[in-house]
């Protein structure tokens, strides 16, 4: 009995020892797997039962100032292939090619790349996705074909504001316009995540957890522009009409609010559809309003006139003698029509855009003051607007300027500007002489709708005094009322502006092209409370008519007319309202009529009645009188009676009324 009990105890002890050994071995093995091989085994397990996925959020939207969508993103499916699981490449290519618009050879080339992942077609249309998904089910291609979510950019208005908005490449990267300039803020976020999958790399319970694969990123902000889609549409319609009428190489227009610096419209023709940007020449992608530099011609004279008035080197009624051309440092400078206008006032010099008069003004200002005012008005440096590719323009170094350079700069030649710089400078004149920084971004909002940044009016500097500015506006209003810019006039509204016609420079800079011009008009309205500044630039018109006053001013006039109706701007007040209808008799200085001999140093005052402003100014200059004028039209009175004996240099005021 005792022996049998002893044997049982031995067996139990032996079994316990074996079990203890197994436990020790198991603990050792567990420790070895967890502590020594834990990381590598974990990675192997992770690779076998799941995959890392890159999940992308949609790109931020671009809106106009009224919240209308200019650029939006939606989540789409992109197709990829796993070449290592393709059993019959020819069959797959033949079945897939007609559904996605690619050739069989292209798909075979993708399969030939090898590996486990190759893109076949990215950002598919919904119809393509549905067709391929059906093919995968029918042919059981689930092991070699699958989809991933990606954001696709859409431009719902096609061509509208294309050169401003730009476009996005295949990797959600902005490649031009606002898309490029603010790419870091607009770009959708990419989030790395891990999904558990089956043996065919299909996410397990993917339909339940699909929401994990789409989310609103924190970085993809919404950009609200200062552009008004309606104003942009009106402008682009008129540019299309200008293209049809003048057959130019290109047309550019910028509309700005002169009181805030907001760009309300910016357009160029030819343009492109950003939804299919690859179908167009890259030259057409450029935004000419900021990237094209040209000689501004006579539109620059508005800046020169402001500088001359501010520096008191001229007055509106100062008399100039126009011989038709002047020679400066051996260079001939003549008027736009090659003719002489005789004796004229500075008001006429501005109205008729006389090169001879402005050449004299440029010489009086001198190199330092001329270039200083040009820089103060914003020329020679980028404006800093949120658009890529902005040019600085070209100005002289005052130390390098000869007299001929001063004269040609004063008439808008030998320097180069961008359309945006010019419309910004004209807006400074409309804004009481204060230059503002132009901007095209109104606000930026976070993905949750909260405000990230709001941009508004930003003053740069005062360029001319308020009193000087009012005088300059009066001169520019005369340009449209009865001068070279008359075709920009809109009945019932007071408009001020300046036309320009500049010969094009050869691309190698060796001189000017024969018969090749840039016609332009830049102005603002209404004069009493400016709401709009408009620049129209027509590059190389092909119809033979190339003067800014003839082809650019009418385009600007039509734009002004439509925009003032759209913005509900009331017609300008009647400047003669409340005044007596009877003709106001001019005031005369008492003087005794003289009938005797004329002593040395004395002259007899002539009769100015019935003469035009130019004829009266010429007659006064011939007699040696200092001429001043009031009104416009034909002379109806004078401050000193005819045949009165006066000293040479005596000032006389002649009163004019329309006939």
């Amino acid at each position: 009995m005792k022996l049998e009990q002893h044997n049982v105890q031995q067996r139990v002890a032996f079994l316990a020892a074996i079990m203890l050994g197994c436990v020790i071995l198991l603990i050792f093995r567990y420790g070895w797997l967890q502590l020594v091989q834990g990381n590598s085994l974990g990675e192997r397990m992770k690779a076998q039962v799941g995959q890392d996925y890159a999940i992308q959020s949609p790109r931020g939207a671009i809106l106009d100032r009224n919240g209308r969508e200019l650029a939006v993103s939606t989540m789409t499916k992109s197709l990829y292939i796993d070449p290592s699981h393709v059993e019959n490449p020819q069959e797959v290519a033949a079945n897939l090619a007609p559904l996605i618009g690619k050739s069989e050879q292209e798909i075979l080339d993708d399969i030939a790349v090898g590996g486990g992942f190759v893109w076949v077609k990215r950002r598919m249309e919904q119809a393509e996705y549905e067709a391929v998904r059906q093919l995968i089910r029918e042919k059981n291609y689930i092991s070699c074909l699958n989809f991933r979510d990606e954001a696709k950019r859409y431009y719902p208005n096609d061509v509208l504001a294309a050169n401003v908005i730009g476009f996005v490449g295949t990797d959600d990267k902005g490649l031009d316009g606002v898309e490029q300039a603010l790419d870091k803020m607009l770009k959708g976020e990419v989030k790395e995540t891990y999904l558990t999958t089956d043996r065919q790399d299909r996410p397990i319970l993917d339909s339940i957890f699909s929401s994990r694969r789409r989310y609103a990123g924190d970085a993809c902000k919404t950009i609200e522009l200062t552009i008004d889609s309606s104003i942009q549409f009106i402008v682009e319609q008129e540019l299309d009409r200008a293209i049809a009428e003048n057959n130019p190489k290109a047309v550019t227009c910028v509309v700005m609010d002169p009181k805030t610096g907001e760009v309300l419209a910016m357009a160029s023709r030819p343009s492109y559809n950003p939804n299919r940007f690859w179908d167009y020449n890259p030259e057409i992608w450029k935004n000419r309003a900021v990237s094209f530099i040209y000689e501004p011609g006579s539109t620059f004279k508005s800046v020169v006139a402001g500088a001359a008035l501010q520096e008191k080197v001229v007055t509106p009624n100062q008399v100039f003698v126009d011989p038709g051309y002047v020679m400066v440092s051996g260079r001939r400078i003549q008027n736009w029509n090659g003719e002489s206008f005789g004796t004229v006032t500075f008001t006429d010099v501005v109205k008729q855009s006389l090169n001879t008069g402005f050449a004299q003004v440029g010489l009086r200002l001198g190199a330092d003051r001329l270039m200083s005012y040009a820089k103060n008005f914003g020329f020679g440096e980028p404006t800093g607007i949120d658009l890529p590719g902005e040019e600085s323009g070209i100005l002289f170094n005052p130390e390098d300027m000869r007299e001929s350079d001063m004269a040609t700069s004063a008439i808008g030649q030998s320097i180069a500007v961008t359309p945006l710089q010019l419309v910004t400078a004209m807006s400074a004149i409309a804004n009481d002489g204060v230059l503002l920084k132009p901007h095209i971004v109104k606000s930026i909002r976070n993905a949750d709708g909260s405000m990230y940044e709001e941009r508004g009016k930003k003053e740069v500097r005062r360029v001319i005094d308020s009193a000087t500015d009012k005088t300059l506006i009066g001169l520019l209003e005369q340009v449209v009322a009865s001068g070279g810019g008359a075709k920009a006039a809109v009945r019932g509204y007071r408009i001020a502006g300046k036309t320009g016609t500049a010969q094009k420079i050869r691309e190698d800079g060796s001189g000017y092209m024969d018969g090749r011009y840039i016609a332009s008009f830049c102005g603002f309205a209404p004069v009493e409370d400016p709401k709009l500044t408009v620049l129209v630039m027509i590059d190389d018109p092909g119809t033979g008519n190339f003067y800014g006053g003839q082809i650019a001013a009418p385009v600007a006039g039509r734009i002004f007319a439509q925009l003032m109706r759209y913005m509900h701007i009331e017609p300008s007040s009647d400047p003669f309202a409340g005044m007596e209808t009877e003709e106001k008799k001019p005031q005369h200085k008492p003087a005794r009529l003289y009938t005797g001999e004329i002593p040395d140093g004395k002259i007899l005052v002539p009769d100015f009645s019935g003469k035009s402003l130019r004829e009266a100014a010429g007659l006064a200059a011939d007699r040696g009188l200092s001429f001043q004028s009031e009104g416009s039209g034909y002379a109806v009175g004078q401050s000193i009676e005819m045949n009165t004996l006066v000293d040479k240099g005596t000032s006389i005021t002649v009163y004019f009324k329309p006939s």
Side-chain angles (χ1 to χ4, degrees):
M1 183 71 179
K2 289 184 179 179
L3 179 61
E4 183 178 350
Q5 185 178 5
H6 177 71
N7 291 336
V8 170
Q9 289 177 344
Q10 281 186 327
R11 293 190 188 100
V12 170
F14 180 73
L15 182 60
I18 292 175
M19 292 179 64
L20 179 63
C22 289
V23 169
I24 293 173
L25 182 63
L26 184 62
I27 292 174
F28 177 79
R29 180 60 177 169
Y30 181 79
W32 177 265
L33 293 175
Q34 288 292 329
L35 300 178
V36 179
Q37 293 185 312
N39 291 336
S40 61
L41 291 175
E43 291 298 323
R44 286 174 59 188
M45 181 275 297
K46 186 177 179 181
Q48 290 172 354
V49 301
Q51 284 191 11
D52 289 320
Y53 279 86
I55 305 172
Q56 182 176 348
S57 66
R59 189 176 179 87
I62 300 177
L63 312 175
D64 83 340
R65 66 186 300 113
N66 299 311
R68 298 169 184 160
E69 292 178 336
L70 299 175
V72 292
S73 289
T74 59
M75 298 308 296
T76 61
K77 297 292 185 179
S78 291
L79 177 67
Y80 69 90
I81 195 166
D82 180 355
S84 64
H85 285 79
V86 177
E87 297 178 359
N88 189 335
Q90 291 292 343
E91 177 189 322
V92 171
N95 291 330
L96 185 60
L99 302 181
I100 62 175
K102 296 184 73 173
S103 68
E104 293 183 27
Q105 187 58 50
E106 287 177 309
I107 297 174
L108 289 172
D109 291 342
D110 292 334
I111 297 173
V113 171
F117 182 96
V118 178
W119 286 118
V120 178
K121 187 166 186 179
R122 303 180 71 175
R123 298 178 176 86
M124 304 170 68
E125 298 296 335
Q126 184 65 22
E128 293 176 327
Y129 162 66
E130 296 289 349
V132 175
R133 186 175 67 168
Q134 185 66 26
L135 175 68
I136 293 174
R137 289 175 177 174
E138 292 177 354
K139 300 294 185 179
N140 196 27
Y141 288 158
I142 201 162
S143 63
C144 61
L145 291 176
N146 214 327
F147 304 96
R148 285 193 179 180
D149 287 336
E150 284 195 294
K152 183 173 183 178
R153 200 63 158 170
Y154 288 97
Y155 302 93
N157 302 298
D158 293 334
V159 178
L160 189 76
N163 298 96
V164 172
I165 301 168
F167 52 88
V168 174
T170 54
D171 295 318
D172 197 38
K173 181 176 178 60
L175 298 179
D176 210 344
V178 174
E179 296 276 30
Q180 178 181 342
L182 300 178
D183 184 61
K184 291 182 179 179
M185 294 186 177
L186 287 164
K187 191 175 182 65
E189 289 182 319
V190 177
K191 182 179 180 181
E192 298 291 339
T193 189
Y194 177 80
L195 294 179
T196 303
T197 62
D198 63 11
R199 293 181 61 187
Q200 303 296 335
D201 292 336
R202 293 172 298 187
I204 298 174
L205 300 178
D206 180 56
S207 60
I208 297 176
F209 298 108
S210 60
S211 60
R212 294 172 54 194
R213 302 172 69 181
R214 297 181 183 179
Y215 68 101
D218 295 327
C220 47
K221 304 184 187 301
T222 297
I223 308 297
E224 181 185 0
L225 303 182
T226 60
I227 294 289
D228 185 315
S229 294
S230 297
I231 294 178
Q232 184 78 22
F233 179 76
I234 290 170
V235 166
E236 294 195 16
Q237 270 195 321
E238 288 301 328
L239 294 195
D240 289 335
R241 179 176 172 180
I243 287 283
E245 291 178 345
N246 301 291
N247 190 30
K249 177 181 178 181
V251 185
T252 302
C253 179
V254 182
V255 180
M256 181 179 288
D257 182 341
K259 298 295 183 65
T260 63
E262 293 180 340
V263 176
L264 303 179
M266 181 181 284
S268 295
R269 287 294 186 270
S271 188
Y272 67 99
N273 185 340
N275 291 304
R276 300 189 59 83
F277 64 88
W278 54 87
D279 289 339
Y280 299 82
N281 188 321
E283 274 298 311
I284 297 178
W285 299 344
K286 293 181 179 179
N287 186 346
R288 294 172 63 88
V290 299
S291 64
F292 178 71
I293 61 172
Y294 67 106
E295 289 192 353
S298 295
T299 52
F300 187 73
K301 292 175 182 175
S302 55
V303 172
V304 178
L309 292 169
Q310 180 67 39
E311 293 296 318
K312 295 181 171 44
V313 301
V314 294
T315 62
N317 294 318
Q318 186 167 337
V319 175
F320 285 75
V321 178
D322 170 34
Y325 73 92
V326 293
M327 299 297 297
V328 183
S329 301
R331 182 165 181 174
R332 180 188 176 101
I333 298 175
Q334 63 183 31
N335 292 325
W336 56 273
N337 61 358
E339 297 180 0
S340 167
F341 283 74
T343 303
V344 292
T345 66
F346 185 63
T347 300
D348 294 315
V349 171
V350 176
K351 277 174 56 177
Q352 302 300 333
S353 195
L354 303 184
N355 289 338
T356 56
F358 273 98
Q360 296 176 53
V361 170
L363 293 173
R364 293 179 189 180
L365 281 170
D368 289 329
R369 288 190 292 186
L370 192 59
M371 290 299 105
S372 175
Y373 274 93
K375 290 179 180 178
N376 284 341
F377 269 94
F379 298 104
E381 61 183 11
T383 65
I385 196 168
D386 281 312
L387 290 171
E390 184 180 13
E391 293 283 351
S392 301
I394 302 172
L395 292 179
F396 277 106
N397 182 342
E399 298 177 356
D400 299 332
M401 294 180 71
R402 301 170 300 174
E403 287 190 344
S404 59
D405 298 326
M406 302 175 204
T408 55
S409 295
I411 64 174
Q413 293 182 357
S414 305
I415 60 172
V417 306
T418 66
L420 181 62
Q421 287 175 335
L422 189 58
V423 77
T424 302
M426 186 63 77
S427 292
I429 297 172
N431 189 40
D432 198 41
V434 177
L435 181 71
L436 303 180
K437 180 181 178 180
H439 61 284
I440 203 165
V441 176
K442 189 174 181 67
S443 65
I444 303 173
R445 293 186 178 275
N446 294 312
D448 61 4
S450 61
M451 183 64 69
Y452 173 78
E453 181 182 356
E454 195 165 9
R455 302 184 183 182
K457 175 180 175 180
K458 183 176 180 181
E459 292 188 5
V460 179
R461 68 181 74 88
R462 173 170 285 281
V463 291
I464 53 177
D465 294 338
S466 179
T468 302
D469 189 69
K470 288 179 172 60
T471 302
L472 177 59
I473 289 175
L475 297 181
L476 296 178
E477 185 178 3
Q478 287 293 311
V479 173
V480 178
S482 57
K487 291 192 175 183
V490 178
R491 177 173 291 186
Y493 294 91
R494 296 170 60 194
I495 299 175
K498 190 74 188 71
T499 60
T501 307
Q503 206 167 355
K504 290 191 69 171
I505 304 175
R506 298 182 188 276
E507 293 183 1
D508 60 5
S510 61
Y512 294 98
M513 301 182 189
D514 294 332
R516 309 283 290 279
Y517 296 89
I518 293 177
S520 57
F521 174 87
C522 190
F524 53 88
V527 166
E528 64 274 15
D529 184 20
K531 295 287 197 306
L532 297 165
T533 306
V534 175
L535 166 70
V536 174
M537 185 196 72
I538 302 178
D539 181 6
D540 202 5
T543 56
N545 193 349
F546 53 82
Y547 289 116
Q550 297 298 316
I551 61 174
V555 178
R558 292 194 295 266
I559 291 173
F560 272 126
Q562 294 186 66
L563 295 190
M564 286 188 283
R565 284 196 297 269
Y566 168 73
M567 297 175 68
H568 305 292
I569 298 175
E570 294 292 329
S572 301
S573 58
D574 183 359
F576 301 105
M579 296 177 63
E580 296 179 359
T581 57
E582 294 183 4
E583 183 179 311
K584 182 179 178 181
K585 294 183 180 180
Q587 299 295 317
H588 299 287
K589 293 181 180 178
R592 178 176 58 83
L593 295 179
Y594 185 80
T595 57
E597 290 188 6
I598 302 175
D600 292 339
K602 300 286 186 178
I603 55 174
L604 282 179
V605 175
D607 181 9
F608 291 95
S609 60
K611 290 182 169 33
S612 67
L613 186 61
R614 188 173 68 179
E615 292 170 338
L619 180 58
D622 292 341
R623 295 296 180 90
L625 293 171
S626 176
F627 179 77
Q628 303 289 328
S629 66
E630 288 188 12
S632 61
Y634 294 90
V636 296
Q638 55 196 75
S639 60
I640 304 176
E641 294 287 354
M642 59 176 291
N643 290 329
T644 302
L645 189 66
V646 296
D647 294 328
K648 283 188 176 181
T650 298
S651 178
I652 184 170
T653 302
V654 180
Y655 305 93
F656 296 85
K657 295 283 286 183
S659 59

